[in-house]
Amino acid sequence: MLEAKSDKISVVLGTCHGVETDQGSERGNRKVFGVKYAPRGETEEKMLAADAVVVSAGPWSCAAEDWFLGAVQLPMEGVKSTSIVWAKPKNEDVDATALFCGEDDRFGTHLEVYPRPDGTIYICGIGGSDYISTDELKAGAFREECNAKDTRAEAAKNSFQQMSSMYRTDGELDRVQACMRPCPPDAIPYMGAIPGYEGAYINAGHNCWGIAWAPACGKAMTELVMDGQSRSIDLTPFDPSRFTPAAQRGGRGRKKKGMSVGEQW
Ligand SMILES: Cc1cc2nc3c(=O)[nH]c(=O)nc-3n(C[C@H](O)[C@H](O)[C@H](O)COP(=O)(O)OP(=O)(O)OC[C@H]3O[C@@H](n4cnc5c(N)ncnc54)[C@H](O)[C@@H]3O)c2cc1C
């Protein structure tokens, strides 16, 4: 979480549990004024004051369905994918060429091989990923620790060793690890305002392109938060409400023509 104070920005590490809101403006929306969170390593809940909140919690962003009391539905699947890193070879240089392989039916892999400047090699495209449901993600599955799948690490190792005699004899794995791809059902990210709330936004669900798209998405979201509208990207296709039935958008309060007009009675 980022906290902006005058000209300074601080990073606050912790787990978000929800948002604090008040009655908001005459437009009938609720207004966000804080984030409820537990600082890292602590259990006691605290509140971080905020006049704008952007939910960017990767696949776990679907928890915001509950933070905004059902005002928006954010179906999400997490694709938990293993990757491996080869240690720097002792007596050889590593060629600075990335390699994208077709499907290797022997091992169920389609390796993407990325040599790094420090001589290690990162490999993903290992196949056999696990699919984690929205409910599991909302409960925080694999959020604190995203463990690798040993059988897939072994498959990637064997597949790569078939291509390199040097790594077959002298290769040493430095690390096996996993991360989670955030996948909305239509493979399109959620980028925009949370319906029925002022000062609440989401930017999540960028599937396998979150690194490449980050600068453009960051710019568009900044424009939306600061100016009320993104000028650099038309965010219409990324509407976070697209899976939310019209009658349900904007919370549980009373509605007139889909617009909140007060508290639930
Ligand atoms: C194997 C693999 C290869 C990939 N290759 C590429 C590639 O080549 N190019 C590319 O562009 N993309 C690639 N991606 C996809 C990219 O990694 C993701 O799209 C990107 O990381 C998503 O970024 P994010 O910030 O939305 O989510 P994340 O990186 O998942 O970050 C979300 C953060 O929010 C935290 N969080 C969750 N819930 C809470 C909470 N309640 N409170 C506080 N914090 C919370 C999490 O701990 C995490 O730190 C790849 C992904 C995988 C798995």
Side-chain angles (χ1 to χ4, degrees):
M1 287 169 279
L2 290 177
E3 182 185 30
K5 276 187 190 158
S6 61
D7 59 341
K8 288 197 187 137
I9 291 180
S10 337
V11 176
V12 179
L13 296 177
T15 302
C16 173
H17 295 162
V19 291
E20 294 281 11
T21 62
D22 61 24
Q23 284 297 341
S25 72
E26 69 272 14
R27 279 190 288 146
N29 289 342
R30 293 194 70 80
K31 170 95 182 73
V32 172
F33 68 84
V35 172
K36 290 185 276 190
Y37 77 105
R40 178 180 274 187
E42 297 177 27
T43 48
E44 196 182 328
E45 195 169 278
K46 294 195 171 168
M47 208 269 288
L48 191 65
D51 53 11
V53 170
V54 183
V55 178
S56 292
W60 301 277
S61 299
C62 52
E65 289 183 348
D66 300 333
W67 302 347
F68 295 100
L69 306 177
V72 66
Q73 285 179 12
L74 303 164
M76 186 81 84
E77 193 162 58
V79 182
K80 187 163 88 67
S81 306
T82 295
S83 54
I84 62 172
V85 179
W86 289 101
K88 181 180 185 319
K90 289 190 178 63
N91 302 314
E92 299 271 351
D93 288 333
V94 173
D95 187 72
T97 306
L99 181 66
F100 297 87
C101 307
E103 194 71 29
D104 182 341
D105 294 331
R106 296 166 301 176
F107 303 105
T109 55
H110 45 275
L111 299 187
E112 295 178 23
V113 180
Y114 302 96
R116 291 166 159 175
D118 65 358
T120 61
I121 298 181
Y122 169 86
I123 298 184
C124 61
I126 287 179
S129 299
D130 291 329
Y131 291 77
I132 314 301
S133 70
T134 303
D135 284 344
E136 291 172 289
L137 292 167
K138 279 168 96 168
F142 303 107
R143 189 183 59 199
E144 309 308 325
E145 202 179 330
C146 196
N147 61 311
K149 203 168 169 182
D150 290 339
T151 50
R152 298 320 300 159
E154 192 63 21
K157 180 174 169 238
N158 292 337
S159 177
F160 187 66
Q161 283 180 322
Q162 293 295 315
M163 291 186 264
S164 165
S165 54
M166 200 264 281
Y167 281 88
R168 191 154 56 238
T169 50
D170 295 331
E172 212 179 285
L173 278 188
D174 179 52
R175 203 172 314 155
V176 299
Q177 57 195 7
C179 60
M180 189 92 75
R181 275 192 286 126
C183 302
D186 54 3
I188 297 175
Y190 298 120
M191 293 171 65
I194 304 286
Y197 285 81
E198 284 173 59
Y201 307 86
I202 183 165
N203 179 38
H206 297 71
N207 207 316
C208 54
W209 297 113
I211 301 166
W213 289 348
C217 297
K219 184 170 193 290
M221 290 304 297
T222 307
E223 291 167 351
L224 178 65
V225 174
M226 301 304 289
D227 307 333
Q229 190 181 344
S230 160
R231 278 168 282 109
S232 49
I233 300 176
D234 173 9
L235 292 179
T236 313
F238 309 105
D239 181 4
S241 305
R242 63 189 184 275
F243 293 108
T244 312
Q248 197 184 317
R249 290 178 194 176
R252 293 178 178 156
R254 287 186 294 141
K255 301 240 175 46
K256 194 175 176 186
K257 294 185 179 162
M259 203 71 162
S260 297
V261 291
E263 285 282 80
Q264 193 75 21
W265 71 96

